[in-house]
Amino acid sequence: MEKQKTYYITTPIYYPSSNLHIGHTYCTVMADAMARFKRLMGYDVMFLTGTDEHGQKIQKVAAERGITPQEHVDEIVAGIKELWKTMEISYDDFIRTTEPRHIKRVQALFMKLWEKGDIYKGEYEGWYCTPCEAFWTDTQAKDGLCPDCGRPVERAKESAYFFRLSKYQDALIDLFENHPDFLQPESRRNEMLSFCRQGLEDLCISRSSFDWGIPVPVEEGHVIYVWLDALSNYITALGWPDEPEKYERYWPADIHLVGKEIVRFHSIIWPAMLLSAELPLPKKVLGHGWILLEGGKMSKSRGNVVDPVKLIERYGVDALKYFLLREYTFGQDGIYTNEAMINRLNSDLANDLGNLVSRTVAMIEKYCGSVVPPAGPLEGPDEELRGVAMACGDKVAAYMDQFCYNLALEEIWVLIRRCNKYIDETAPWVLAKSAAAGDEAAKARLSAVLHNLADALRMVSVLLFPFMHSTSRKIRRQLGMGEAEPVWEDLRQFDVLGGQTVKKGEGIFPRLDLEKELAELAALQKPAVPQKEYEPFREEVEFDDFEKIDLRVGQILEAKKHPNADKLLIFQVDLGSEVRQILSGVAERFRPEECVGKKVAVVCNLKERKIRGELSKGMLLFAGEGKELAFVSADAAPGEAIR
Ligand code: MSP
């Protein structure tokens, strides 16, 4: 028997420093669609994802939270797993770098490189970027900034273990020059090639300034620096070296799918380590672009991350997956906007797909007693419709080979739109009228038309399965096909359906009101305002005491900064009967010129005092912390009492 072909695809292992946003889900959704696509085609697929849990940053975040790093990562990883469950991500294994199986195998890899003579002890000094956990050379960290994230780097020095990356420079240049398929897109390959040609420095692979990591097996007090730890997940999850069954089955990986900023680690450092360990190299590293917002990168600290869960709760998993795969071009950056998402859902899912499904099923219910009719003689546009349907699978497969998800989906939509056009061309409702009036030919034609439509829709359901498998299942149920999983061979023949009982379900994708959705999404996505701490109310006072306070309307005639206090403004305030100098600590809220002419509530009988050398006779009352509610109505006259 021919051995089943295997396909091993990986995502990066995510840092559990905080919850994942839509940008992270992009890579996992792509990997999931590819894994499902290959399974549909009959491959024995291994789809791996996981979390990268060691390192200084995690230790720091945990310390800030007052918990242990393990407690911190356990909590975040549970959330990540929950997210993948919600998103119906079909991974076969989830590796955590804190698992014993990973730890012992990373140490085994370290020893392998050590025994090869490719690890030595030295002193490292370089530019270190803490958030990226990366050391950079002088040329790389020019201007004192990290070339990956743009944040400031620091000079760092410590005794450490090094991997002889430089030894593999020529082998890597050879890899990029002679195996053009190894790294895509092409632009990244050129970048990496010139990076290697500039000369590779040996790589620091241990740290001793923190301890949240895998111990270096040859010396206490050092932990393995995060990239050796992280990258080796791709083989430790397969059981290398002590339980090699899966390793032998799936390694080398067919695809490492990674974001563009970590291509360097995957296409230079990882292959060099594998060469040193005398293990085969992955077949391909694919670098994808980033999902950005109109204002630039998503960042938790700027409070502008798009939460996939909120979108899923509103529109469903398949809608989000479809949008991510259809909207963006692999390898390029793309911008996320709510508007683009709603428009996509409306035009492609509600209009094109949703309408096709509901019309087809409704017509079979109404005109054929809910039973899918058998094939009939071919007429008019039948051949063309069937031709588009039969050709679709190969076209989709060709695009998927290139990781062009958007074009693969577009090809499926060519078929969906062709089906909708077929309905308009054949006008089944007209045929139904004639059939009802006793026209036998019309009756036969109506059956044939609805059969063709149902079978084309069956093909659509097969093609959609890797991308939106719940939707595909819904369509198949409505067509009376039961729960059987589709296979690629289903696309090789037409006229499969006939005799099934269709059943209308709820609409697959309802049409959305763009304006309403945009308003509601904007409200949902507003960064959470930290809960305000209100001052407790003060002790009550007698009315007579309150009466002692003389509150008046004052008009600001002049305002200037206090020469010796950054927070204070000096005002000249017209109180009707006199003009007074009053100081107030609002320099951070108002520029002096914007106060002039404004009216404000004034406590007039507060005992005068000198503040930093300037006399203040009274107090101006400002509400709130911003500019709102700061002044009293312009109609009030200076000197009027406030009661
Ligand atoms: N832990 C490392 C990877 C180690 S792999 C051996 C890491 N983790 S990460 O959580 O910071 O990033 C994981 C992936 O998410 C990266 O491939 C990165 O490109 C991707 N993305 C993070 N933000 C993204 C967008 N806004 N858009 C698309 N992908 C993005 O790096």
Side-chain angles (χ1 to χ4, degrees):
M1 210 178 89
E2 202 188 321
K3 195 172 154 244
Q4 194 185 8
K5 279 211 278 186
T6 59
Y7 187 81
Y8 179 25
I9 182 166
T10 66
T11 71
I13 49 173
Y14 296 92
Y15 286 130
S17 46
S18 62
N19 292 331
L20 303 186
H21 57 61
I22 195 174
H24 300 111
T25 66
Y26 176 53
C27 180
T28 301
V29 164
M30 284 194 284
D32 181 63
M34 190 54 79
R36 289 177 184 273
F37 190 76
K38 293 290 177 182
R39 286 189 201 110
L40 180 69
M41 293 191 98
Y43 284 78
D44 167 6
V45 172
M46 170 76 194
F47 168 21
L48 177 71
T49 190
T51 39
D52 182 1
E53 307 184 11
H54 291 126
Q56 191 171 9
K57 200 159 92 186
I58 303 274
Q59 190 164 357
K60 206 166 119 198
V61 175
E64 278 162 15
R65 296 184 62 200
I67 54 178
T68 65
Q70 191 65 53
E71 283 167 336
H72 169 74
V73 293
D74 284 351
E75 185 188 311
I76 307 269
V77 171
I80 293 175
K81 284 189 168 175
E82 196 53 42
L83 175 65
W84 296 152
K85 196 168 154 206
T86 307
M87 296 192 73
E88 297 168 355
I89 300 300
S90 62
Y91 59 77
D92 297 293
D93 198 354
F94 188 107
I95 180 112
R96 299 184 55 179
T97 56
T98 50
E99 285 176 75
R101 63 167 171 159
H102 178 74
I103 293 172
K104 68 175 181 192
R105 290 169 188 159
V106 169
Q107 289 177 326
L109 182 63
F110 185 101
M111 288 314 294
K112 186 109 194 193
L113 310 190
W114 173 261
E115 280 152 17
K116 184 81 181 277
D118 282 347
I119 292 180
Y120 62 92
K121 195 170 178 190
E123 179 151 89
Y124 193 79
E125 187 174 0
W127 296 105
Y128 188 67
C129 174
T130 309
C132 296
E133 303 195 24
F135 269 103
W136 301 102
T137 59
D138 290 344
T139 27
Q140 288 165 336
K142 55 175 184 294
D143 313 326
L145 299 177
C146 168
D148 269 355
C149 73
R151 282 177 276 209
V153 288
E154 291 161 14
R155 209 67 195 148
K157 195 174 177 178
E158 62 182 23
S159 92
Y161 287 88
F162 285 80
F163 169 63
R164 288 188 205 281
L165 184 62
S166 55
K167 181 174 156 189
Y168 295 94
Q169 179 172 328
D170 293 342
L172 290 166
I173 291 176
D174 176 71
L175 174 67
F176 292 122
E177 280 179 342
N178 297 321
H179 301 273
D181 277 353
F182 172 70
L183 173 60
Q184 280 175 351
E186 180 79 16
S187 54
R188 303 253 175 270
R189 190 168 72 89
N190 296 335
E191 237 174 75
M192 292 306 125
L193 194 52
S194 60
F195 191 88
C196 289
R197 284 191 182 129
Q198 277 168 28
L200 293 176
E201 291 181 18
D202 289 348
L203 182 77
C204 173
I205 52 162
S206 77
R207 309 284 289 150
S208 54
S209 50
F210 61 91
D211 59 9
W212 182 240
I214 299 177
V216 165
V218 295
E219 185 184 346
E220 259 180 48
H222 292 253
V223 292
I224 293 177
Y225 168 59
V226 72
W227 281 100
L228 170 59
D229 172 356
L231 289 162
S232 52
N233 90 87
Y234 302 128
I235 57 173
T236 63
L238 296 181
W240 181 91
D242 50 307
E243 284 179 49
E245 195 194 322
K246 273 195 186 157
Y247 170 78
E248 273 154 20
R249 185 163 183 75
Y250 295 111
W251 191 257
D254 292 84
I255 301 290
H256 286 323
L257 198 57
V258 301
K260 59 179 185 178
E261 86 289 11
I262 55 172
V263 159
R264 187 171 70 90
F265 300 100
H266 285 79
S267 62
I268 293 181
I269 295 174
W270 180 225
M273 288 175 178
L274 289 166
L275 286 170
S276 169
E278 296 172 22
L279 299 174
L281 304 190
K283 291 180 202 158
K284 198 191 273 286
V285 173
L286 269 175
H288 65 76
W290 276 50
I291 297 189
L292 306 170
L293 296 177
E294 274 164 326
K297 275 191 184 177
M298 269 177 242
S299 98
K300 194 105 192 168
S301 54
R302 274 196 264 158
N304 68 348
V305 293
V306 177
D307 181 354
V309 176
K310 286 189 180 147
L311 296 176
I312 292 167
E313 281 168 356
R314 244 179 132 74
Y315 308 115
V317 174
D318 281 4
L320 177 62
K321 284 185 176 174
Y322 176 76
F323 173 73
L324 290 173
L325 297 171
R326 176 65 187 86
E327 189 73 12
Y328 303 104
T329 303
F330 192 92
Q332 294 175 14
D333 289 348
I335 308 251
Y336 172 86
T337 65
N338 289 330
E339 191 168 355
M341 161 117 180
I342 308 294
N343 283 336
R344 236 335 135 201
L345 304 194
N346 270 344
S347 69
D348 299 7
L349 299 185
N351 276 9
D352 295 341
L353 178 62
N355 270 339
L356 174 63
V357 176
S358 66
R359 290 204 289 174
T360 305
V361 175
M363 288 191 293
I364 294 174
E365 280 191 342
K366 196 162 162 199
Y367 305 139
C368 310
S370 295
V371 177
V372 179
L378 302 186
E379 277 180 37
D382 297 5
E383 292 271 20
E384 198 203 323
L385 172 76
R386 294 157 73 106
V388 172
M390 292 296 287
C392 196
D394 288 341
K395 290 186 179 170
V396 169
Y399 282 129
M400 288 300 276
D401 262 354
Q402 299 302 312
F403 281 73
C404 297
Y405 295 90
N406 58 340
L407 300 180
L409 284 167
E410 175 54 27
E411 214 45 65
I412 304 175
W413 256 255
V414 167
L415 172 58
I416 292 172
R417 283 190 221 108
R418 186 65 195 86
C419 290
N420 277 324
K421 188 170 157 218
Y422 181 81
I423 299 180
D424 298 340
E425 288 165 343
T426 55
W429 48 91
V430 175
L431 294 169
K433 243 192 196 155
S434 310
D439 179 342
E440 284 303 314
K443 195 172 168 194
R445 179 65 188 142
L446 178 62
S447 289
V449 162
L450 293 180
H451 165 86
N452 288 336
L453 261 180
D455 217 54
L457 187 54
R458 171 190 63 83
M459 291 252 201
V460 168
S461 80
V462 178
L463 290 161
L464 284 182
F465 196 70
F467 308 98
M468 312 164 79
H469 83 284
S470 300
T471 302
S472 162
R473 281 189 193 283
K474 280 188 199 160
I475 297 173
R476 294 167 77 78
R477 267 180 225 133
Q478 294 200 26
L479 286 174
M481 296 179 67
E483 299 302 315
E485 289 236 334
V487 291
W488 191 250
E489 275 58 49
D490 295 346
L491 297 170
R492 299 276 176 231
Q493 42 180 338
F494 209 84
D495 296 334
V496 170
L497 290 189
Q500 289 76 7
T501 303
V502 303
K503 190 162 177 10
K504 210 168 161 52
E506 54 186 295
I508 293 207
F509 292 100
R511 215 189 138 70
L512 305 163
D513 177 336
L514 177 66
E515 296 305 321
K516 181 170 161 272
E517 293 303 320
L518 290 182
E520 292 183 16
L521 279 176
L524 265 180
Q525 290 164 346
K526 252 216 321 259
V529 182
Q531 272 292 314
K532 223 177 163 135
E533 294 232 348
Y534 289 97
E535 258 178 67
F537 293 113
R538 297 184 195 172
E539 208 180 309
E540 65 179 27
V541 294
E542 294 296 332
F543 185 74
D544 289 350
D545 290 333
F546 168 70
E547 274 278 288
K548 289 182 194 156
I549 298 173
D550 194 349
L551 282 174
R552 305 281 180 109
V553 176
Q555 182 165 28
I556 298 170
L557 300 179
E558 284 173 30
K560 61 174 185 190
K561 289 194 164 160
H562 191 298
N564 306 318
D566 291 347
K567 292 191 175 157
L568 294 178
L569 290 183
I570 303 175
F571 297 101
Q572 302 302 323
V573 183
D574 177 5
L575 288 167
S577 53
E578 62 180 279
V579 173
R580 289 226 201 130
Q581 173 163 300
I582 304 178
L583 274 59
S584 188
V586 290
E588 283 164 359
R589 286 165 63 186
F590 304 106
R591 282 174 286 116
E593 58 275 19
E594 66 186 317
C595 299
V596 175
K598 296 275 167 44
K599 291 173 185 162
V600 70
V602 185
V603 181
C604 304
N605 57 342
L606 188 68
K607 198 168 177 183
E608 67 175 45
R609 62 180 179 138
K610 260 197 175 163
I611 310 175
R612 298 254 177 135
E614 289 286 344
L615 195 65
S616 184
K617 293 170 74 175
M619 179 186 282
L620 307 189
L621 301 185
F622 291 101
E625 280 150 17
K627 292 179 185 281
E628 67 287 352
L629 290 179
F631 304 107
V632 303
S633 156
D635 297 338
E640 262 179 28
I642 300 177
R643 298 244 142 70

